[in-house]
Amino acid sequence: MMRTRPLRVALLGCGVVGSEVARIMTTHADDLAARIGAPVELAGVAVRRPGKVREGIDPALVTTDATALVKRGDIDVVVEVIGGIEPARTLITTAFEHGASVVSANKALLAQDGAALHAAAGEHGRDLYYEAAVAGAIPLIRPLRESLAGDTVNRVLGIVNGTTNFILDKMDSTGAGYQEALDEATALGYAEADPTADVEGFDAAAKAAILAGIAFHSRVRLDDVHREGMTEVTAADFRSAREMGCTIKLLAICERADDGASVTARVHPAMIPLTHPLASVRGAYNAVFVEAEAAGRLMFYGPGAGGSPTASAVLGDLVAVCRNLLGGATGPGESAYAALTVSPMGEVVTRYHISLDVADKPGVLAQVATVFAEHGVSIDTVRQQGKDGEASLVVVTHRASDASLTGTVEALRKLDTVRGVASIMRVEGE
């Protein structure tokens, strides 16, 4: 039998995502009630600009006092889609203190203070769900937390930012330069007026921290994630990638060490073979590749941002939390029992693609090869092209640590025959 008293929901934020959440709650009210076992009611909407017309939302529900809304005591679930660290952090903890569970899409806050938020939820016996914080509509958090809870995840490799994937895909498919591709992304609405969070990898790094923490049952904060942006990727890099049968993606990579004692989390541009499933992810789409011991290789693909896709993930969490409330239970909380250490980037082992500008004369290749050997970095392939006293030398290594490669490059810069290091890029997804 369906409960007649509605579950009351407070919505914090009514922008692109929040307004879509409110719309779906209204237009799909009967379906949501049937799936939950009780009706859900929008009890209040906290905004910064109360005078703005919000279609489908009763103006009487709108308030600028978010704190008073979450303190009301009759709120069952708080949906937080305002983003940022404060006031979101205080509002979420206040919601727990006043008896409400929380659904959030706030990747930055969860990456920075996820442990504290989980502790607050546990202290008050409430739920904290955040499927929408990573990869929009793609079901990813729940499969890692629940479907793979009995398995051992060894690697998570993914494209988790649609803006950067659109830009890199445009550079690859048209030969455009970075700025030209960014300008098109901005004109189409894929990139913000200030794209720094996307193109410098901050957004992807926050998502990597969340994914690593869940996948490896360890606390991984944003500060633990090595981050490199993609603003230095050039059309020449794509030409080199194509010569290797690769393309370039900005990847979030979370890995368990071979001995199982530590993990790494990093975000940076990388070449990946065209045969890898992630190479075919085009436009503003996201995809995450998960490697687990028993399940093997799994791929999750779909739209990673936008009002409707993100709202879909929020509503999925809302249904789950409401079902838990009706059942007198809570869902999975933080799982950090493994407490694995996060290794520094210097210990990460991968392949490298290094492009050098060198003098076009005999003996240069031998000098370069000697430097690699002296630093314990094995060379896989070498390509050299020269003209009018100048040459380009491209070296692809076997697997080497980041620290050893850094030492190699420093030594190469000291050679009189090396004019400069044009680019260094990791090669992933073998």
Side-chain angles (χ1 to χ4, degrees):
M1 179 181 294
M2 182 178 294
R3 193 179 85 165
T4 56
R5 185 178 72 79
L7 293 163
R8 299 171 66 80
V9 177
L11 179 61
L12 307 183
C14 199
V16 173
V17 176
S19 59
E20 189 67 7
V21 169
R23 184 192 69 79
I24 295 173
M25 286 185 63
T26 301
T27 58
H28 294 240
D30 291 342
D31 286 337
L32 290 172
R35 294 166 190 173
I36 292 169
V40 287
E41 174 183 287
L42 191 59
V45 182
V47 300
R48 286 182 297 178
R49 297 186 297 275
K52 181 179 177 180
V53 176
R54 294 174 172 85
E55 187 177 350
I57 297 178
D58 183 351
L61 298 178
V62 176
T63 178
T64 57
D65 194 343
T67 301
L69 178 59
V70 299
K71 283 183 173 181
R72 272 177 33 177
D74 65 334
I75 301 297
D76 297 293
V77 184
V78 169
V79 174
E80 182 271 310
V81 288
I82 56 178
I85 306 301
E86 288 292 356
R89 172 170 49 198
T90 299
L91 290 170
I92 288 174
T93 55
T94 301
F96 291 141
E97 292 166 1
H98 287 78
S101 290
V102 173
V103 172
S104 175
N106 196 329
K107 54 187 172 289
L109 178 58
L110 288 158
Q112 178 172 305
D113 290 320
L117 294 178
H118 275 294
E123 178 184 353
H124 297 284
R126 300 294 101 183
D127 270 327
L128 173 62
Y129 275 53
Y130 44 91
E131 184 68 64
V134 180
I138 304 172
L140 184 59
I141 301 298
R142 192 170 288 115
L144 285 173
R145 291 174 80 177
E146 301 177 27
S147 302
L148 296 174
D151 207 339
T152 298
V153 175
N154 291 320
R155 195 175 197 223
V156 179
L157 172 75
I159 298 164
V160 294
N161 182 278
T163 299
T164 56
N165 199 58
F166 178 89
I167 293 170
L168 292 173
D169 181 40
K170 186 61 61 173
M171 292 175 69
D172 186 24
S173 61
T174 69
Y178 166 76
Q179 189 60 52
E180 182 183 353
L182 172 60
D183 290 344
E184 181 171 351
T186 303
L188 293 172
Y190 291 123
E192 301 287 345
D194 179 2
T196 302
D198 295 322
V199 300
E200 293 294 353
F202 291 101
D203 175 84
K207 295 169 181 176
I210 295 170
L211 291 175
I214 296 171
F216 305 131
H217 303 279
S218 301
R219 287 179 178 168
V220 180
R221 300 180 73 250
L222 180 58
D223 292 345
D224 296 321
V225 181
H226 174 82
R227 176 195 54 79
E228 298 173 26
M230 48 157 279
T231 57
E232 301 301 318
V233 176
T234 65
D237 291 326
F238 275 100
R239 288 194 293 272
S240 293
R242 283 193 290 273
E243 289 174 0
M244 290 179 58
C246 292
T247 189
I248 299 171
K249 300 292 187 181
L250 184 75
L251 299 178
I253 305 169
C254 312
E255 294 178 304
R256 186 190 301 270
D258 290 341
D259 62 5
S262 64
V263 299
T264 59
R266 50 197 165 102
V267 167
H268 54 71
M271 295 182 180
I272 58 172
L274 294 173
T275 53
H276 193 281
L278 290 178
S280 62
V281 178
R282 312 303 296 268
Y285 276 72
N286 284 192
V288 177
F289 204 70
V290 178
E291 299 177 13
E293 287 189 2
R297 295 182 173 185
L298 309 170
M299 183 166 162
F300 302 84
Y301 169 84
S308 294
T310 306
S312 172
V314 169
L315 267 295
D317 278 350
L318 178 63
V319 169
V321 169
C322 288
R323 286 172 174 170
N324 290 343
L325 287 170
L326 292 180
T330 55
E334 183 190 30
S335 176
Y337 75 90
L340 300 177
T341 59
V342 182
S343 297
M345 186 63 186
E347 297 180 14
V348 170
V349 175
T350 188
R351 297 175 67 205
Y352 288 87
H353 175 283
I354 305 102
S355 180
L356 305 172
D357 295 326
V358 300
D360 186 16
K361 63 182 184 181
V364 173
L365 179 57
Q367 287 183 333
V368 169
T370 297
V371 170
F372 275 88
E374 288 174 346
H375 289 81
V377 179
S378 175
I379 294 176
D380 182 16
T381 62
V382 177
R383 298 195 311 276
Q384 184 173 2
Q385 292 180 328
K387 184 179 181 181
D388 299 329
E390 298 294 330
S392 173
L393 187 65
V394 175
V395 178
V396 180
T397 73
H398 288 289
R399 290 174 63 82
S401 72
D402 187 82
S404 64
L405 196 283
T406 298
T408 302
V409 172
E410 289 175 355
L412 288 171
R413 294 183 193 275
K414 296 176 182 178
L415 294 178
D416 292 339
T417 52
V418 174
R419 309 294 193 225
V421 179
S423 68
I424 303 171
M425 192 168 296
R426 297 172 184 86
V427 183
E428 302 285 348
E430 297 176 84

